[in-house]
């Protein structure tokens, strides 16, 4: 295994408040990693900082050996790090295809033909509603579209912020099944989740954030059985 | 009324419609990018004064004056855009309104050059009908190309959701800056053409009222396509003339018509999405 992303001493502030306090972690190429923790632990803040949407107050981020700490969001996307944001950020007045086309913004839709086929194969409901307005999709379908749109950007590392949020259990299973399939295709994933149990079952490696600090880390399945995790998140 | 008579009476109105169309298109650019920037009247003023002063004081040829009338507001847009473009929504509107006031007061106080409150008199009337027509056609063509290009898609994305646009690799700051500067250049062109059409310009023509009028043209016409701002400019320019028979009630009826349009057609008159809904029967849409 080789390290794809190395985060060292990452600190992110909101004004005077330190939301993320000098955390370290490494993502291995081809793996699914999960960043879990309670509400307000600093998970989404970490993802936003990795994507360049929040300024980093300290620390260093290296992607495949390159220092990307100070890069702008569009430069980070150009390196192959693409995020599926919390709340999906679907453009509801555009059609499903237009949303997917936006995902292929850097390459153009013609150069992303294979990706489009793969996305529609992975998420059949999107194929049926390709020319319909994205605003008319259900919550689950919108999440599929958000993931599909990110895949259209030909990512090498996919960051997902709460993909299960607000979705029915069956739909969550479907989304997680799709994430596993995406990972089998060779894509590295970093999953931020409040759904600790599901996330750690899916991930090869897990990190637990508490109050902006890295509290625990280890293989996903091992973390599930950790006494501290059982006590804090899994109902003892 | 034959054509010559019509042109003698309404020629100026038609040309004003053309320059107003340019102004509406100039603000369409920033609106298309989700920015409520209302400095277009100020940029028009900068273009008008730059071009008129070059023609009057330096004896510059008309083409050079026009070019300067485009470049000067674009340069100033770059300078004020750097800090202002970070703002959004009502804060951007307030900052650009304040900039407009600064420009107006500057023109007012630079009396030795601009004539101050008395304005600039005796600008040579170089603007021909075909200059205005050519300018509108060229700007329309350019914006049509932009709309169909990668930049147009970036504008749509930024207007829809800035965060989503960033996460898809759109350089949001650069694209917004491009829209802001290009909008300023088009407004400057309108000002330069207008100055060489009306013989006289004064700071009051480029103040708050004009800024709101330009915004109204685009919003009223609709920002969903390029036809909207042209239509809006047409209505705002022609409506007061068409209502002339109402004498003292003219401005009141004018206002009522505008309020009714905005109330019942919130996306503007030219709304391609509404046209699509009309064309596709409801049953088919549900199928």
């Amino acid at each position: 295994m080789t390290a794809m992303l190395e985060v060292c001493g990452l600190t992110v502030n909101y004004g005077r408040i330190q939301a993320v306090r000098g955390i370290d972690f490494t993502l291995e190429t081809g793996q699914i990693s999960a960043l879990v923790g309670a509400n307000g632990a600093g998970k989404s803040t970490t993802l936003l900082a990795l994507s360049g949407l929040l300024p980093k107050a300290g620390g260093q981020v290296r992607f495949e050996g390159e220092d990307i700490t100070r890069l702008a969001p569009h430069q980070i996307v150009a390196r192959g790090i693409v995020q599926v944001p919390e709340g999906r950020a679907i453009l509801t007045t555009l059609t499903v295809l237009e949303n997917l086309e936006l995902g292929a913004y850097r390459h153009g839709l013609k150069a992303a033909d294979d990706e489009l086929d793969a996305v529609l194969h992975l998420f059949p409901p999107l194929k049926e509603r390709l020319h319909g307005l994205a605003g008319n999709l259900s919550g689950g379908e919108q999440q599929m579209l958000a993931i599909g749109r990110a895949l259209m950007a030909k990512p090498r590392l996919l960051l997902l912020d709460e993909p299960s949020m607000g979705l029915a259990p069956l739909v969550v299973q479907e989304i997680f099944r799709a994430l596993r399939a995406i990972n089998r295709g060779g894509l590295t994933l970093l999953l931020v989740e409040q759904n600790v149990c599901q996330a750690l079952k899916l991930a090869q490696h897990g990190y637990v954030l508490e109050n902006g600090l890295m509290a625990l880390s280890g293989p996903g399945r091992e973390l599930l059985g950790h006494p501290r995790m059982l006590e804090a998140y899994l109902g003892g | 009324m034959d054509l010559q008579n019509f042109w003698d009476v309404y020629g100026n109105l038609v040309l004003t419609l053309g320059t107003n169309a340019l102004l509406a298109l100039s603000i369409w650019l920033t609106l298309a990018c989700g920015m409520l920037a209302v400095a277009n009247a100020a940029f028009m003023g900068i273009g008008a004064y730059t071009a008129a002063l070059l023609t009057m004081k330096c004896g510059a040829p008309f083409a050079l004056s026009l070019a300067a009338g485009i470049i000067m507001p674009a340069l100033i847009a770059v300078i004020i855009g750097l800090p202002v473009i970070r703002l959004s929504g009502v804060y951007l509107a307030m900052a650009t309104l304040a900039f407009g006031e600064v420009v107006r007061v500057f023109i007012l106080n630079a009396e030795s050059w601009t004539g101050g409150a008395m304005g600039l008199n005796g600008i040579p009337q170089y603007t021909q009908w075909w200059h205005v027509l050519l300018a509108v056609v060229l700007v329309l063509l350019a914006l049509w190309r932009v709309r169909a290009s990668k930049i147009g898609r970036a504008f749509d994305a930024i207007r829809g959701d800035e965060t989503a646009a960033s996460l898809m690799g759109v350089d949001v700051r650069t694209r917004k800056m491009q829209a802001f500067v290009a909008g300023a250049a088009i407004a400057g062109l309108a000002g330069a053409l207008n100055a060489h059409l009306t013989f006289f310009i004064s700071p009051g023509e480029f103040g708050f009222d004009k800024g709101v009028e330009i915004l109204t043209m685009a919003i009223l016409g609709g920002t969903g396509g390029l036809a909207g701002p042209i239509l809006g400019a047409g209505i705002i320019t022609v409506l007061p003339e068409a209502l002339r028979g109402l004498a003292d009630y003219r401005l009141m009826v004018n206002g009522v018509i505008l309020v009714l349009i905005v109330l019942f057609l919130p996306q503007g008159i030219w709304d391609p999405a509404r046209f699509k809904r009309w064309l596709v029967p409801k049953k088919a849409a549900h199928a």
Side-chain angles (χ1 to χ4, degrees), chain A residues 51 53 73-74 77 82-83 85 89 91 94 101-103 105-108 149-150 153, chain B residues 150-151 153-154 156-157 159-161 163-172 174-175:
Chain A
S51 289
L53 285 171
H74 68 278
V77 174
V82 181
Q83 186 182 156
L91 302 185
L94 300 185
E101 193 178 354
L102 171 64
Y105 171 77
R106 287 189 55 253
H107 313 278
R149 188 178 63 186
Chain B
K150 193 173 170 176
I151 301 176
R153 281 199 301 281
D156 285 343
R159 189 178 67 242
D161 189 318
T163 306
S166 285
L167 293 175
M168 292 304 112
V170 175
D171 184 353
V172 172
T174 304
R175 293 298 179 214

Side-chain angles (χ1 to χ4, degrees), chain B:
Chain B
M1 192 188 286
D2 64 24
L3 199 62
Q4 186 57 50
N5 264 341
F6 174 83
W7 191 253
D8 288 342
V9 178
Y10 294 112
N12 226 24
L13 183 74
V14 174
L15 294 181
T16 305
L17 197 158
T19 52
N20 277 346
L22 287 174
L23 290 167
L25 288 171
S26 78
I27 205 166
W28 174 85
L29 253 176
T30 38
L31 289 171
C33 216
M35 292 191 289
L36 185 59
V38 281
N40 298 54
F43 289 131
M44 179 198 186
I46 295 167
Y49 272 92
T50 306
L53 287 171
L54 268 179
T55 305
M56 291 170 72
K57 307 238 177 199
C58 310
F62 184 44
L64 184 67
S65 299
L66 274 188
I70 296 169
I71 292 167
M72 184 61 98
L75 284 177
I76 293 175
V78 171
I79 296 164
I80 73 150
L82 287 172
V84 158
I85 230 81
R86 292 168 189 273
L87 304 171
S88 61
V90 75
Y91 301 103
L92 176 63
M94 282 165 67
T96 45
L97 269 179
F99 164 73
E101 274 306 286
V102 170
V103 170
R104 194 182 64 82
V105 174
F106 176 81
I107 296 172
L108 213 54
N109 287 309
E111 218 165 299
S112 57
W113 275 85
T114 62
M118 302 298 287
L120 265 186
N121 243 317
I123 306 165
Q125 288 177 294
Y126 289 151
T127 302
Q128 302 290 316
W129 66 269
W130 63 269
H131 293 146
V132 178
L133 181 66
L134 187 66
V136 173
V137 169
L138 287 180
V139 167
L140 263 177
L141 269 177
L143 294 185
W144 178 69
R145 286 292 301 268
V146 164
R147 220 174 158 234
S149 72
K150 193 173 170 176
I151 301 176
R153 281 199 301 281
F155 284 0
D156 285 343
I158 294 169
R159 189 178 67 242
D161 189 318
E162 227 172 270
T163 306
S166 285
L167 293 175
M168 292 304 112
V170 175
D171 184 353
V172 172
R173 229 172 115 68
T174 304
R175 293 298 179 214
K176 280 174 139 185
M177 192 66 163
Q178 285 169 340
F180 190 62
V181 172
I186 297 169
L189 168 66
L193 285 170
N194 193 57
H196 290 85
L197 180 72
T198 54
F199 187 76
F200 166 77
I201 52 174
S202 70
E205 292 169 42
F206 310 111
F208 177 75
D209 289 357
K210 188 66 183 177
V212 172
E213 188 184 280
I214 296 170
L215 182 65
T216 312
M217 289 182 215
I219 300 289
L220 186 75
T223 53
L226 289 170
I230 303 276
L231 193 62
I235 292 170
I236 295 283
T237 315
V238 174
L239 200 57
E241 289 302 317
L243 298 175
R244 204 165 270 279
L246 297 172
D248 290 347
Y249 295 103
R250 184 170 65 118
L251 286 178
M252 198 186 81
V253 175
N254 192 41
V256 169
I257 291 174
L258 296 185
V259 168
L260 286 177
I261 293 175
V262 172
L263 268 181
F264 290 103
L265 304 169
Q267 299 299 317
I269 297 169
W270 189 266
D271 179 11
R274 188 175 62 241
F275 299 153
K276 215 181 276 178
R277 284 200 298 275
W278 284 348
L279 287 173
V280 182
K282 273 194 175 169
K283 273 186 185 172
H286 283 299

